[in-house]
Amino acid sequence: RATMLTKFESKSARVKGLAFHPVRPWVAASLHNGVIQLWDYRVGTVIDRFEEHEGPVRGVDFHLHEPLIVSGGDDYKIKVWDYKLRRCLFTLLGHLDYIRTVQFHPNATQYPWILSASDDQTLRLWDFQNRSCLSVLTGHNHYVMCAAFHPSEDLIVSASLDQTVRVWDTTGLRKKQMGGGAGMDAGMPGGAMMDANGMPRPTGAQQAALNVQAELFGTNDVVVKYVLEGHDRGVNWAAFHPTLPLLASAADDRQVKLWRMSETKAWEVDTLRGHANNVSCCLFHPKHDLVVSNSEDRSIRVWDVSKRVGVQTFRREGDRFWILAAHRSQNLLAAGHDSGMIVFKLERERPASAHGPANKLYYVRGRELFCHDYAKATGGASGVDVPIASLRRVGQQAQTDGIGSAPRFLSYNQHNPSEGNVLVCSETDGGTYELVTFSLTNASGSVTDGKRGSCMGPAVFLGRNRFAVLDRQQRQIVIKNLNNETTKRVQPPYPNVDALLDGGTAGRILLRADDRAILFEVQSRRVLGEITAPKIKSVVWSPDGSKVALLCKYGIVIADRQLEQLCSISDTVRIKSGAWDVSPSGGTSSQLFIYTTLHHVKYCLPSGDTGTIRTLDNPLYAQRVVKDQLFCLDREARARVISIDTTEARFKLALATKRYGQVMKMVRHSRLCGRAIVAYLQSKGFPEVALHFVREPRTRFRLALACGNIEAAMECAFTLEQAAGEGKEANREVWGQLGSEALRQGNHQVVEMSYQRTKDFDRLSFLYLLTGDTEKLRKMLKISNMRQDIMGRYHNALLLGDAAERVKVLEESGNLPLAYISAKIHGLEEDAERIKVAIETQEGSVEGLLEKVDSGARRSGCLLQPPTPIVRENNWPTLPVQKTTLEDLEAAEAERGGGDYDEDTGVEAEADTGAATAWDDDEDFGDAGAGGADDDIDFGDDDMGDDWGDDLDDLGMDFGEDKAEKVDDMAGLSDMGDATGAFKMPTAGKPPAGCWAANSSHAADHIAAGAASSAMQLLNRQIAASDFMVLKNSMLGSYLGATVSLPGLPGSGSLVVPLMRNDGSGHPGSDSLPRTSLKMKHLVTGLRMGYKYFQGGKFNDAKVSFAKVLADVPMVVADSKAEANEIKEMVEICREYITAVRIKAAMSAVATDPVRSNELSAYFTHCNLQPVHLLLALRSAMGTAFKHKNFIVAASFARRLLELPDMNSERNADLRVKATKVLQKSEQMARNEHQLNYNENAAFAIDCKDFAPIYAGEAAVKCSYCGSQYKDESTRNKICITCGFCAAGVDTIGLVTGA
């Protein structure tokens, strides 16, 4: 049983009919439920559904040239559909029972015929242009199951349940039908009225009579040529060979028979047996000498016509097969079954190929291994083919040219410069390889082969004389020498590895496991990198070995040589192949990846940018890219070269790598245009570049606004205004957008013009108020008066502070009470009297009007006058900005005569100015080391070249900032198309908070900048902090204490002023650091409080104080090294005192246990306490030990107590006497009553969980912040009990105290 290469699978009702579209990737499926589905099998979607049939639809076919589909079903109807109009055009009626198959004539443009077969025991030929029946073919005496035209001759084959296959000759019908057509086409007089013999054509009534005669008795236009008898049961299907005089038939006797035809007779050639149930369909493969049949035994079988043996069997559990279809031009088959259909191939069509040294490509065509030399390319040819060796067939299918035995993978040994080694792998018998060795000087001369073996997937070369294969059974990596002898077996790091792929350099391989690739070093058995990539098919390394493209089924992942992902792209159709650019100049080598899909050539850049270059008629497999030429192989393994235009890709690459000279040259001389490239430039922040070559005024206007070029935007606005057909509303929108941008830049002259053109009088008045232009504000008052705009007059009068005018407006608008109040408040007594008279005349009253105004407001009120502007210049002041790199290049080119930018010169200049980057690139050393090393002496392959260098390469990232990135060459990019040197707003400076986070590695500085996430990351990395709720208060204090808020002017927000700790001698600029709210003195205060509580026996309060100091320490920045040491010492003090307090609490809990209480009191004395506190601990421990008759430890505590310096003071005289007596008594007794877990003579640390000694040399889990130790391994990665917020057992750098 073989594995089917399924390209598409659908789920639906039972599929009874199938047809491929001749050109498009479509397949039509007619279903048992009466629906016809139109599928795009390339992307797996339903394009359309046709649902007019009643009952099952058993036959369907596409017209070769027109957008037509024909279908026939159990409703006795033949329907012709237009899939563009998505409707049925007409229905052909005539059959009296189920219609089994329908087919357009293969040359339907010349012969507009449809052939149908029916259960009414007849075949019918229809003219679908005239929508009439041409002929009824009678002769079968049972259901006619199938009928088909011959691809090129005037023949029809039909199969029936009467156990016969009939071949019909349609020559007479063709001559009869096309004779009249020829006369008409030739323009003969009266051609429409004459038949082929020159006789008059029948009239309408006569034609109707002839149709009736044809219905009743048939016609003699189509005659039976052969009747083939041989099947024992009903025949379900018959099919012609596309070129040879052969027939195949499938029947219910479970047999497939082959028949041969001559001019006079037909006979049975052979019978193909193997199916276990009715054979429902069979056909000849259009490209191979094969017969494909399917059956109700749930299998598809493939037979070799020449050898007449079965070569493949595909089985499907649970579904019977009913129908087969073959694509006319592609190697595709479709099969319909009970629950849907499948589109599949019999074998892969990708030619096995591998890159050789220099300009050589090795590939397999047929059973021959060829070397293609690109260096000898002349004219339009891609190079010269040199045959190397013939490959022998191996395995079970060695006797046939059958399916699946062709080589699948090819691998060339790039590490061996002295001879050629090629590994040819195929999937025969589960996977085999063959090693072919030949001379590089005389390739077709001395060839050594015969070294074969089994493997899984591709085999790859590891070095000059070693290669690796994957063992099928044990899934081990087997290393072999060139004599095919096993030298080593290596277990892969993951058990589910299913393929080996090229690792890029000697000694390395890529392992494919599930949906990921693993970079594995065989010698040291190390995993160097890992990356996720679903359904990896192959890998392509760049020429310099710095990048690798992983080609997946529906996407590409590009990574560096350590397998760190650079970009990932996905596609809707399958990826076929890919190749890196190897152009010697232009800067695209190893930077541009070209890949092909089923119908397109596309590109991908390491930055993730993609695009389509051109379409393809047929799939091609890319092998090599040089400038604008793509060298590839087609499916017949013929080398081809096609032209591609990579201008867009090179432009994007130059922009990404900041090669501005090349950008300028391409903008001037390349045909770069289109919305896509403009949108790309805008999305990448380069609207100025797009502005340089866009001429369409609306697009240019948008780009000018995007880059702040007011002059260019004004020019476009005028153009749009003058353009015919521009609406008034559109003009308002354009000028409104221009006004907004001009206002943002402070160019109030352009703002004024914009508001005037849009007649935005309210905004115009406010602009004049802000600029202090009272003259124009008075004009605005006159304009509003002329426009009879009451509100406009009032607003302008209000802005001018003209109280009399406001009273006048209120009076004229009929608001007499308001006018009276306004006049009285502003002291306009005459106006007030006049208005009072007018109010009283209208039988009103002014009494109580002024009482409605708040008296307090009246006393504090004042007349509003226009404010005095701060600046009375033309436009608001701005800072001068430097020209951008592109403008500098433009100016430089103008000075030297406008010469073109030379790419090579530009590269050299970049190398001179960026000398530092040259030191980072150690890839040449790695390659040289790999190439010059002898593989017999294995020094771990290229460790010295790659791993040492990579550590240094990555330092820039580890420091968090790259000094080279401080200068952003593109930040000030301005318009290239405007040579007037127009002003442009400077780039905004970096806020202090941004500088703080960039300048410091201390968490306090990051939290002060508001970067809580990076602060927590720093604490986690440095001290393994995990529970940040404990640190919440100190972190919030650091954040709030780094700024001060000052009240602003009335109506404006408060000003937030950053407080900096390094601004004593002047503003530090971008090197500023925040002032922290927590200082060393706060820690000292907390420590003293803890001592005080401890001395007084308030142990819980003491513990809280010491814990608060521990939580505050990470937020304190030390000013000096001495202060940093003191802070670290404080952490240790807090740890010792918190442990002592916890031991004291444990002593209270076990007071009734003499052993444990003695042990705890002993451990208590080993906490590193202040002498005054140690005195208390020793006194307590001495008393406990003496009371429980543990005299040895009691004597020890007494001695230590007497050695303390404080014991000599008068204050401790009584204690000194008591200790002396205890010592004497203990020395006399000299025994311990209990066995204690305590050794005073050995140094030990205290387990902070179980309170037991951890002696020197014993394993312990340690907190990287406070230093607490735990013997229990289960505490690893758990929160430390002492500090309460760090994870124990994590190895970190420790507390960072300085910025």
Side-chain angles (χ1 to χ4, degrees):
R1 177 181 172 181
T3 304
M4 183 179 290
L5 298 174
T6 305
K7 294 296 175 184
F8 164 69
E9 185 165 357
S10 75
K11 297 292 182 185
S12 65
R14 182 184 301 168
V15 175
K16 300 296 289 183
L18 283 171
F20 279 103
H21 193 282
V23 179
R24 294 178 177 172
W26 295 352
V27 62
S30 59
L31 310 183
H32 199 264
N33 62 4
V35 176
I36 301 166
Q37 292 179 334
L38 188 57
W39 288 88
D40 186 324
Y41 55 80
R42 190 176 59 186
V43 294
T45 55
V46 176
I47 299 170
D48 215 336
R49 294 162 60 92
F50 305 100
E51 302 182 359
E52 287 187 19
H53 277 288
E54 298 171 4
V57 185
R58 299 180 186 272
V60 68
D61 192 30
F62 277 103
H63 192 284
L64 196 59
H65 304 293
E66 301 293 329
L68 300 178
I69 296 174
V70 62
S71 62
D74 286 8
D75 54 2
Y76 314 166
K77 296 175 182 176
I78 297 171
K79 291 182 177 287
V80 177
W81 313 78
D82 188 316
Y83 57 74
K84 283 189 176 177
L85 300 177
R86 305 177 67 181
R87 64 184 178 87
C88 177
L89 298 179
F90 55 88
T91 302
L92 300 173
L93 299 174
H95 279 297
L96 306 174
D97 207 337
Y98 297 171
I99 297 166
R100 293 285 175 173
T101 62
V102 287
Q103 186 190 4
F104 283 109
H105 194 282
N107 188 6
T109 308
Q110 190 173 2
Y111 306 106
W113 298 350
I114 291 173
L115 173 63
S116 60
S118 170
D119 284 2
D120 63 8
Q121 304 179 13
T122 66
L123 290 76
R124 285 181 181 248
L125 280 166
W126 310 81
D127 185 326
F128 64 82
Q129 287 185 348
N130 296 330
R131 306 181 187 181
S132 62
C133 179
L134 296 174
S135 184
V136 181
L137 282 60
T138 57
H140 285 294
N141 53 30
H142 208 308
Y143 300 167
V144 185
M145 300 300 289
C146 127
F149 287 109
H150 192 283
S152 56
E153 298 179 18
D154 293 329
L155 297 175
I156 290 173
V157 66
S158 62
S160 169
L161 293 187
D162 62 7
Q163 303 179 14
T164 65
V165 175
R166 290 179 178 244
V167 178
W168 312 75
D169 190 340
T170 59
T171 308
L173 182 66
R174 175 178 61 84
K175 289 180 177 178
K176 177 180 176 183
Q177 290 295 316
M178 300 314 296
M184 291 166 65
D185 291 343
M188 292 170 64
M193 302 302 294
M194 307 295 285
D195 67 6
N197 301 317
M199 300 298 290
R201 294 174 73 84
T203 62
Q206 290 171 328
Q207 183 65 49
L210 287 172
N211 285 346
V212 172
Q213 181 184 345
E215 289 282 343
L216 293 174
F217 307 109
T219 61
N220 59 358
D221 299 330
V222 182
V223 294
V224 177
K225 194 169 186 181
Y226 320 113
V227 178
L228 308 178
E229 296 177 327
H231 283 288
D232 300 331
R233 303 285 294 275
V235 187
N236 291 316
W237 205 268
F240 286 114
H241 193 284
T243 54
L244 299 174
L246 291 176
L247 271 169
S249 60
D252 286 347
D253 58 6
R254 306 177 183 180
Q255 297 174 358
V256 177
K257 287 185 181 289
L258 294 177
W259 314 79
R260 183 174 287 276
M261 300 181 297
S262 69
E263 283 300 317
T264 57
K265 62 177 181 176
W267 63 97
E268 182 180 333
V269 175
D270 207 345
T271 301
L272 306 174
R273 295 178 176 87
H275 282 293
N277 207 333
N278 301 339
V279 187
S280 50
C281 187
C282 67
L283 51 79
F284 287 96
H285 195 284
K287 291 196 172 185
H288 299 287
D289 206 11
L290 301 169
V291 169
V292 185
S293 63
N294 66 3
S295 163
E296 294 179 41
D297 65 2
R298 300 174 175 82
S299 74
I300 299 174
R301 288 180 180 263
V302 183
W303 316 83
D304 188 309
V305 173
S306 55
K307 303 290 191 300
R308 295 163 195 170
V309 294
V311 290
Q312 269 184 329
T313 303
F314 305 120
R315 297 191 191 280
R316 185 179 183 88
E317 302 301 330
D319 290 317
R320 296 167 297 174
F321 285 102
W322 298 103
I323 185 71
L324 279 170
H327 199 286
R328 291 172 183 268
S329 56
Q330 296 181 23
N331 184 21
L332 285 175
L333 298 170
H337 52 78
D338 283 337
S339 59
M341 65 157 173
I342 47 175
V343 176
F344 63 99
K345 285 183 179 181
L346 294 182
E347 67 174 350
R348 288 182 171 84
E349 297 177 279
R350 178 195 306 272
S353 62
H355 289 283
N359 298 317
K360 290 184 172 59
L361 172 73
Y362 292 89
Y363 67 92
V364 176
R365 184 194 308 146
R367 305 302 306 179
E368 286 282 330
L369 175 65
F370 286 91
C371 173
H372 187 79
D373 194 347
Y374 291 117
K376 297 179 181 178
T378 54
S382 65
V384 177
D385 284 331
V386 179
I388 303 292
S390 293
L391 305 173
R392 287 187 299 188
R393 299 186 183 94
V394 293
Q396 297 173 355
Q397 299 171 4
Q399 75 273 19
T400 72
D401 273 332
I403 303 302
S405 62
R408 174 89 194 278
F409 308 106
L410 213 64
S411 179
Y412 180 84
N413 190 356
Q414 299 278 6
H415 314 292
N416 191 353
S418 57
E419 65 178 1
N421 311 119
V422 172
L423 280 166
V424 183
C425 303
S426 70
E427 293 182 334
T428 310
D429 298 340
T432 58
Y433 69 86
E434 178 181 352
L435 176 63
V436 180
T437 303
F438 52 89
S439 168
L440 290 175
T441 53
N442 183 16
S444 58
S446 55
V447 177
T448 307
D449 62 355
K451 299 183 179 71
R452 297 183 178 84
S454 64
C455 65
M456 183 178 181
V460 295
F461 285 99
L462 280 175
R464 183 175 59 82
N465 54 6
R466 293 177 301 151
F467 65 92
V469 296
L470 187 63
D471 184 81
R472 277 207 310 265
Q473 278 75 31
Q474 300 177 348
R475 296 287 179 99
Q476 287 183 332
I477 302 168
V478 182
I479 313 300
K480 301 197 173 197
N481 59 23
L482 295 186
N483 294 322
N484 206 23
E485 299 164 343
T486 300
T487 60
K488 188 193 297 185
R489 285 180 174 267
V490 178
Q491 193 67 32
Y494 299 99
N496 51 354
V497 171
D498 60 2
L500 307 182
L501 301 167
D502 185 15
T505 54
R508 295 183 179 186
I509 51 175
L510 277 172
L511 310 177
R512 185 181 72 189
D514 294 334
D515 284 347
R516 54 187 171 162
I518 301 105
L519 185 60
F520 185 64
E521 191 173 71
V522 176
Q523 182 68 18
S524 62
R525 306 191 183 194
R526 286 189 303 152
V527 173
L528 303 177
E530 189 175 318
I531 194 168
T532 301
K535 298 180 181 177
I536 302 170
K537 297 297 181 186
S538 60
V539 297
V540 185
W541 286 89
S542 61
D544 60 3
S546 64
K547 298 179 187 68
V548 61
L550 288 85
L551 273 62
C552 306
K553 193 172 185 178
Y554 291 103
I556 294 173
V557 178
I558 293 182
D560 62 14
R561 61 180 173 178
Q562 295 301 321
L563 229 55
E564 293 289 332
Q565 181 172 312
L566 300 176
C567 76
S568 174
I569 63 163
S570 59
D571 213 316
T572 54
V573 294
R574 301 188 187 208
I575 309 294
K576 290 294 177 185
S577 64
W580 290 93
D581 188 294
V582 294
S583 305
S585 62
T588 55
S589 180
S590 299
Q591 295 291 330
L592 173 61
F593 187 73
I594 304 294
Y595 67 97
T596 64
T597 62
L598 206 59
H599 292 296
H600 290 96
V601 179
K602 300 183 178 182
Y603 69 85
C604 174
L605 303 178
S607 60
D609 291 316
T610 62
T612 302
I613 295 176
R614 62 169 288 170
T615 57
L616 295 173
D617 296 330
N618 295 302
L620 294 174
Y621 300 92
Q623 304 295 334
R624 175 182 168 91
V625 181
V626 182
K627 294 189 176 176
D628 283 342
Q629 285 187 315
L630 174 64
F631 297 89
C632 46
L633 292 174
D634 60 18
R635 281 181 162 170
E636 282 70 43
R638 303 283 178 186
R640 292 178 55 189
V641 56
I642 60 172
S643 61
I644 55 175
D645 184 2
T646 57
T647 307
E648 181 183 313
R650 286 186 282 113
F651 177 78
K652 290 180 179 179
L653 187 61
L655 209 55
T657 54
K658 300 185 179 181
R659 300 180 66 177
Y660 303 127
Q662 194 173 350
V663 172
M664 289 293 295
K665 180 181 177 182
M666 295 178 78
V667 166
R668 288 199 188 91
H669 303 296
S670 299
R671 297 178 62 186
L672 280 167
C673 59
R675 293 182 181 178
I677 200 75
V678 171
Y680 173 81
L681 288 166
Q682 276 194 278
S683 67
K684 294 295 182 183
F686 301 127
E688 303 82 359
V689 182
L691 190 65
H692 196 80
F693 56 85
V694 171
R695 290 291 169 260
E696 198 277 315
R698 188 164 292 279
T699 307
R700 188 173 169 79
F701 175 76
R702 284 199 300 269
L703 290 170
L705 288 185
C707 55
N709 191 327
I710 295 295
E711 285 72 17
M714 276 179 61
E715 179 187 334
C716 296
F718 282 123
T719 306
L720 289 169
E721 191 178 50
Q722 294 166 5
E726 282 288 341
K728 204 170 186 180
E729 198 59 39
N731 281 333
R732 284 181 61 85
E733 184 184 350
V734 167
W735 285 106
Q737 290 174 356
L738 179 60
S740 299
E741 177 60 25
L743 188 63
R744 191 181 70 82
Q745 295 189 18
N747 191 334
H748 60 76
Q749 293 175 339
V750 175
V751 177
E752 180 183 356
M753 182 177 68
S754 299
Y755 290 165
Q756 286 172 352
R757 289 186 172 272
T758 56
K759 294 185 168 56
D760 198 338
F761 297 111
D762 292 341
R763 284 196 172 106
L764 204 53
S765 297
F766 194 68
L767 177 71
Y768 292 147
L769 173 71
L770 290 179
T771 54
D773 199 336
T774 51
E775 290 298 318
K776 289 183 178 175
L777 201 52
R778 292 190 186 282
K779 287 182 181 177
M780 292 303 299
L781 180 61
K782 289 181 181 177
I783 291 170
S784 57
N785 198 4
M786 292 163 56
R787 293 175 58 242
Q788 297 181 347
D789 180 4
I790 297 296
M791 287 307 296
R793 280 180 63 193
Y794 188 81
H795 282 150
N796 283 306
L798 190 66
L799 296 177
L800 281 166
D802 191 340
E805 181 66 23
R806 290 210 301 277
V807 170
K808 186 178 179 184
V809 172
L810 290 170
E811 187 179 359
E812 290 179 3
S813 63
N815 293 290
L816 295 178
L818 283 176
Y820 176 75
I821 293 170
S822 183
K824 289 294 286 182
I825 287 175
H826 290 93
L828 302 173
E829 295 297 337
E830 293 181 5
D831 292 337
E833 283 300 320
R834 186 181 73 252
I835 295 167
K836 180 181 177 182
V837 170
I839 291 173
E840 290 173 348
T841 304
Q842 297 176 7
E843 298 181 357
S845 173
V846 295
E847 290 182 10
L849 283 178
L850 290 177
E851 279 70 16
K852 294 180 181 180
V853 183
D854 184 17
S855 58
R858 270 187 294 172
R859 282 197 299 272
S860 61
C862 61
L863 177 63
L864 287 174
Q865 291 290 338
T868 305
I870 301 168
V871 179
R872 286 188 182 274
E873 293 182 6
N874 293 337
N875 282 326
W876 292 338
T878 48
L879 292 172
V881 290
Q882 277 189 327
K883 283 191 173 183
T884 63
T885 313
L886 288 166
E887 286 177 323
D888 290 342
L889 274 170
E890 202 168 21
E893 285 175 10
E895 286 176 13
R896 68 175 186 228
D900 288 342
Y901 175 80
D902 186 357
E903 290 175 5
D904 298 331
T905 309
V907 173
E908 287 171 14
E910 282 180 19
D912 291 341
T913 55
T917 60
W919 288 97
D920 294 337
D921 188 7
D922 62 349
E923 289 161 9
D924 293 336
F925 299 139
D927 292 343
D934 186 351
D935 275 319
D936 293 332
I937 305 170
D938 200 331
F939 292 108
D941 306 299
D942 56 344
D943 277 3
M944 296 298 288
D946 285 339
D947 292 349
W948 284 88
D950 283 337
D951 293 341
L952 293 175
D953 286 346
D954 294 340
L955 282 179
M957 287 189 292
D958 290 344
F959 288 150
E961 68 166 312
D962 191 349
K963 292 295 181 185
E965 290 180 6
K966 280 196 172 182
V967 181
D968 186 0
D969 293 332
M970 302 301 278
L973 201 66
S974 68
D975 177 39
M976 299 184 299
D978 188 4
T980 58
F983 168 75
K984 185 163 177 268
M985 286 293 287
T987 310
K990 208 172 183 181
C995 299
W996 295 347
N999 293 339
S1000 174
S1001 59
H1002 200 288
D1005 294 334
H1006 282 250
I1007 198 69
S1013 122
S1014 64
M1016 289 191 280
Q1017 283 177 359
L1018 282 174
L1019 289 173
N1020 182 261
R1021 290 196 199 105
Q1022 292 166 2
I1023 59 173
S1026 300
D1027 186 358
F1028 292 98
M1029 285 304 295
V1030 178
L1031 301 173
K1032 181 180 176 182
N1033 290 335
S1034 54
M1035 292 175 82
L1036 282 174
S1038 296
Y1039 172 65
L1040 297 172
T1043 54
V1044 63
S1045 182
L1046 299 177
L1049 296 170
S1052 64
S1054 299
L1055 301 175
V1056 178
V1057 180
L1059 300 176
M1060 290 173 279
R1061 66 172 180 265
N1062 58 343
D1063 59 350
S1065 59
H1067 196 287
S1070 59
D1071 296 325
S1072 68
L1073 290 168
R1075 186 170 296 178
T1076 51
S1077 58
L1078 289 171
K1079 298 284 186 185
M1080 182 75 176
K1081 61 183 180 182
H1082 297 101
L1083 301 182
V1084 173
T1085 303
L1087 215 57
R1088 285 177 179 163
M1089 288 300 294
Y1091 287 158
K1092 181 179 176 183
Y1093 290 134
F1094 193 87
Q1095 180 85 20
K1098 298 179 180 178
F1099 295 113
N1100 285 333
D1101 293 341
K1103 184 181 175 185
V1104 170
S1105 292
F1106 290 123
K1108 186 177 186 311
V1109 172
L1110 277 181
D1112 287 346
V1113 163
M1115 294 294 113
V1116 176
V1117 182
D1119 294 332
S1120 63
K1121 191 173 182 180
E1123 199 170 283
N1125 292 333
E1126 286 179 36
I1127 290 174
K1128 291 180 179 177
E1129 193 177 330
M1130 283 183 183
V1131 173
E1132 295 178 5
I1133 291 170
C1134 292
R1135 177 196 70 219
E1136 295 295 323
Y1137 272 88
I1138 290 173
T1139 305
V1141 169
R1142 292 181 57 238
I1143 292 174
K1144 190 69 178 170
M1147 287 165 61
S1148 303
V1150 295
T1152 56
D1153 183 353
V1155 176
R1156 186 58 178 157
S1157 61
N1158 266 279
E1159 288 176 350
L1160 291 175
S1161 61
Y1163 304 151
F1164 189 51
T1165 65
H1166 283 267
C1167 294
N1168 191 6
L1169 308 177
Q1170 295 293 319
V1172 64
H1173 301 144
L1174 184 59
L1175 184 145
L1176 298 173
L1178 285 168
R1179 185 180 70 177
S1180 171
M1182 181 181 70
T1184 303
F1186 193 78
K1187 183 172 73 173
H1188 291 116
K1189 299 180 182 180
N1190 293 314
F1191 297 113
I1192 296 175
V1193 291
S1196 165
F1197 296 144
R1199 285 192 205 97
R1200 288 173 60 194
L1201 188 58
L1202 290 170
E1203 289 170 2
L1204 289 177
D1206 284 2
M1207 290 297 288
N1208 296 324
S1209 68
E1210 196 64 34
R1211 183 179 55 191
N1212 295 321
D1214 293 341
L1215 180 59
R1216 187 169 64 248
V1217 172
K1218 192 181 290 184
T1220 304
K1221 289 179 179 178
V1222 169
L1223 180 59
Q1224 289 173 355
K1225 179 68 174 175
S1226 299
E1227 286 175 344
Q1228 289 171 4
M1229 302 304 293
R1231 288 288 185 275
N1232 278 347
E1233 181 74 16
H1234 305 100
Q1235 182 68 36
L1236 302 178
N1237 182 16
Y1238 172 63
N1239 183 0
E1240 63 165 320
N1241 298 319
F1244 64 85
I1246 299 171
D1247 185 335
C1248 293
K1249 179 185 178 187
D1250 299 326
F1251 302 129
I1254 302 174
Y1255 295 104
E1258 288 186 350
V1261 176
K1262 190 174 181 180
C1263 174
S1264 58
Y1265 172 50
C1266 66
S1268 299
Q1269 296 189 43
Y1270 305 92
K1271 190 181 286 187
D1272 187 357
E1273 191 64 28
S1274 66
T1275 56
R1276 186 177 298 277
N1277 296 321
K1278 301 284 179 59
I1279 297 295
C1280 173
I1281 300 171
T1282 306
C1283 61
F1285 58 88
C1286 292
V1290 181
D1291 190 16
T1292 67
I1293 198 171
L1295 180 67
V1296 174
T1297 54

